[in-house]
Amino acid sequence: MKLSELMEKSGKFGSLDITGVTCDSRHIVPGCAFVCINGAATDGHRFAADAAEKGAAVIICEKDVGLENQIFVENSRVEFAKMSAKWFGEPAKSLKIIGVTGTNGKTSVSYMLKSVLEHCGYKVGLVGTIQNMIGDEILPSKNTTPSPYELQSMFSLMEKAGCTYCIMEVSSHALDQDRTYGIDFEVGMFTNLTQDHLDYHITMDNYLKAKKKLFRSCKKAIMNLDDSYFTEMSDGLLCDVKTFSVQNDEADYTAKNINLRPDGVDFVLAGVGVIGRIKTSIGGKFTPYNAMCAASCAIELGMPIGKISEAFADMSGVKGRAEVVPTGRDFTVIIDYAHTPDGLENILKTFADFEKNRLVVVFGCGGDRDRTKRPKMGAIAAKYADYSIVTSDNPRSEEPEQIISDILEGMKDCKKPYEVVVSRTDAIKKAVQSAQKGDIIVLAGKGHETYQILKNGTVHLDEREVVAEALAEI
């Protein structure tokens, strides 16, 4: 492909035949275009000379790197997104793309909506935290929202496979870094906004502004009217905004007669000209919000309420989201991805209200991430759990003991028993092997992940396997 087909301002290099586009100097092939991106961890401009030595035909950069084949652009992230789309023939234009953003619930909403659309006869692609999918085909996922090149590559595969819709989780990092630049979203969905990623965004205002970028590039917005940030998130938007609620009749779609069961939730969805019963086997106080978000979007996309109800009735749970682990014993083990204060409070409040003996929680906090949420999560565990085991999550480059010390600051006034078990494997085994009849044990933080990130590398850790080992050792 000619560089002039990839870039509007290719100058004297426009006639060059380009063999590829990358922003990673490790992926250089002779004749490619290398885009220098100034990232959070490193500046791609540092690798420009290395890229040229390896045979890059042109270097796209924001500042002078001292090379004859450099091309200056105002924003290299935006340029990389545009070039990636053109490299694959702009496949996003052939898909109806639906974006889901918010602190919690993105994965659950994505899978719910995918199930509904498939039940209505459409082939659907999915881009998300757990995995990427083209219909039933599963592709690995490294980030919630991948790089522009990987994203466009997936769109191309979805287009060729005959997908009508693509549902994608859109992270605040991706929006801030223009990974989704140039994508016209059919619908953008907002679940909620609570504290997370402040190690990156620094302030909640920055976090909100990043999330809000999604709704400046979509035709229609589906938004949670009950969220405390709804007004700020919806203010000034030019797209059509539709709201859902479990509390407020002023919303376009409201959940009525909510019945929370240990094994699921059912409620009546009521809106102007539409009413239907939603019954799902996915448990949790947060499930009505997730289900309302997905169902409201489906209605706005023209799906019949009868089909939507059928789809929810047939739906299975999402891995690592209030996932019940079979034990064959007289206690219950739940695995959940809750890794924020709001997420932990939601999952613990859900099971605190059910009939049980004790509510036991095993949790930690991630290293190299927002430290201010650690004592908050400790205080939440102290408030709702009858017994807490504080352990490691993904400590990354930090010492697990220091992270745990930060968590314990929020548990100083805790009147209920808790203990520290630094090894997450040992902590899970302790919880399972000391379980009493009627206990509900929540393993919070890892969810779908089958690994743990330590200072010296990533190791395998599947909590389902650890539970099975603990049971076998009893």
Side-chain angles (χ1 to χ4, degrees):
M1 185 179 288
K2 301 291 185 186
L3 184 63
S4 58
E5 298 176 82
L6 293 171
M7 292 184 69
E8 293 176 6
K9 297 179 180 179
S10 53
K12 63 182 180 180
F13 303 104
S15 61
L16 285 177
D17 287 312
I18 300 299
T19 59
V21 180
T22 185
C23 66
D24 190 334
S25 61
R26 296 169 296 182
H27 298 159
I28 295 292
V29 294
C32 75
F34 175 68
V35 185
C36 302
I37 289 177
N38 189 2
T42 188
D43 186 351
H45 293 81
R46 292 172 47 205
F47 305 101
D50 181 51
E53 270 188 38
K54 290 179 178 177
V58 289
I59 308 296
I60 314 300
C61 50
E62 295 177 2
K63 55 189 177 185
D64 189 354
V65 292
L67 298 170
E68 291 184 4
N69 60 342
Q70 64 187 8
I71 299 176
F72 292 108
V73 294
E74 185 175 340
N75 187 323
S76 57
R77 288 187 183 278
V78 167
E79 200 65 41
F80 184 50
K82 289 159 62 176
M83 292 176 75
S84 296
K86 289 177 180 177
W87 180 258
F88 287 99
E90 302 191 271
K93 292 183 177 179
S94 301
L95 299 166
K96 292 181 179 179
I97 300 178
I98 300 162
V100 190
T101 199
T103 305
N104 298 309
K106 295 188 296 296
T107 299
S108 294
V109 170
S110 297
Y111 277 80
M112 287 175 176
L113 184 57
K114 183 175 188 289
S115 295
V116 171
L117 293 177
E118 289 176 337
H119 189 79
C120 293
Y122 295 97
K123 188 164 186 178
V124 183
L126 183 141
V127 178
T129 304
I130 297 177
Q131 60 195 16
N132 302 314
M133 301 182 74
I134 300 174
D136 294 329
E137 181 186 356
I138 295 173
L139 304 173
S141 173
K142 295 179 182 178
N143 299 306
T144 298
T145 312
S147 74
Y149 187 89
E150 294 171 293
L151 193 55
Q152 296 296 333
S153 173
M154 276 191 286
F155 289 159
S156 179
L157 292 173
M158 291 174 190
E159 178 190 28
K160 290 171 183 173
C163 291
T164 301
Y165 289 95
C166 170
I167 304 164
M168 60 181 292
E169 296 180 46
V170 188
S171 70
S172 58
H173 291 72
L175 289 162
D176 186 62
Q177 296 169 7
D178 290 313
R179 290 185 225 160
T180 58
Y181 182 89
I183 297 173
D184 294 320
F185 290 89
E186 190 76 13
V187 180
M189 293 189 278
F190 169 61
T191 59
N192 50 64
L193 195 73
T194 61
Q195 183 176 333
D196 198 16
H197 304 306
L198 296 193
D199 54 297
Y200 177 87
H201 295 290
I202 310 301
T203 68
M204 284 297 292
D205 187 52
N206 290 340
Y207 185 31
L208 182 146
K209 286 177 180 176
K211 292 285 189 188
K212 193 167 181 174
K213 286 178 74 173
L214 171 64
F215 303 100
R216 301 197 188 283
S217 57
C218 64
K219 298 176 184 175
K220 182 173 290 189
I222 306 292
M223 309 191 89
N224 179 1
L225 183 63
D226 297 341
D227 190 78
S228 60
Y229 283 96
F230 164 76
T231 301
E232 291 171 81
M233 190 65 75
S234 59
D235 184 50
L237 296 183
L238 300 178
C239 63
D240 182 20
V241 177
K242 297 294 183 181
T243 57
F244 65 90
S245 170
V246 302
Q247 302 171 2
N248 194 330
D249 288 340
E250 293 181 7
D252 294 292
Y253 302 100
T254 306
K256 303 282 191 179
N257 304 326
I258 299 171
N259 177 32
L260 298 173
R261 312 183 313 274
D263 60 345
V265 173
D266 55 81
F267 59 88
V268 174
L269 183 155
V272 177
V274 62
I275 188 167
R277 177 163 290 281
I278 304 295
K279 184 174 183 178
T280 177
S281 59
I282 303 170
K285 279 190 173 181
F286 40 82
T287 295
Y289 277 104
N290 295 337
M292 281 294 294
C293 186
S296 301
C297 182
I299 293 169
E300 290 295 321
L301 289 171
M303 306 302 133
I305 187 63
K307 286 285 189 181
I308 294 170
S309 297
E310 290 173 6
F312 272 98
D314 291 343
M315 216 174 277
S316 58
V318 180
K319 185 178 181 181
R321 270 61 178 178
E323 176 188 351
V324 178
V325 181
T327 63
R329 307 298 175 102
D330 55 6
F331 55 86
T332 303
V333 177
I334 306 290
I335 292 178
D336 193 80
Y337 191 49
H339 61 286
T340 66
D342 182 65
L344 186 63
E345 184 170 27
N346 282 336
I347 193 71
L348 293 184
K349 280 175 70 176
T350 289
F351 293 104
D353 290 343
F354 291 143
E355 185 176 340
K356 63 189 178 306
N357 178 24
R358 300 180 304 165
L359 177 58
V360 179
V361 63
V362 178
F363 78 105
C365 291
D368 302 334
R369 298 293 186 267
D370 178 13
R371 292 185 61 175
T372 66
K373 70 181 181 182
R374 296 172 186 174
K376 294 177 182 179
M377 291 178 68
I380 289 166
K383 180 179 180 179
Y384 293 102
D386 298 303
Y387 171 49
S388 302
I389 301 179
V390 186
T391 186
S392 299
D393 190 283
N394 288 321
R396 299 183 177 87
S397 71
E398 289 193 64
E399 294 297 334
E401 291 84 358
Q402 180 57 57
I403 298 172
I404 290 170
S405 176
D406 292 340
I407 294 170
L408 295 179
E409 281 295 311
M411 304 182 74
K412 289 189 294 188
D413 298 326
C414 183
K415 302 294 192 294
K416 290 173 283 188
Y418 66 89
E419 64 179 298
V420 171
V421 180
V422 177
S423 163
R424 193 171 183 94
T425 296
D426 292 345
I428 295 169
K429 288 187 175 181
K430 178 71 181 283
V432 171
Q433 292 173 349
S434 62
Q436 301 172 11
K437 181 179 179 180
D439 281 356
I440 296 177
I441 302 169
V442 176
L443 310 180
K446 299 291 291 171
H448 61 280
E449 295 177 355
T450 56
Y451 57 84
Q452 188 176 29
I453 307 172
L454 309 175
K455 181 182 289 188
N456 57 351
T458 300
V459 298
H460 178 75
L461 176 60
D462 187 328
E463 296 189 332
R464 299 148 199 80
E465 295 173 3
V466 178
V467 170
E469 290 171 10
L471 293 169
E473 293 170 5
I474 294 177

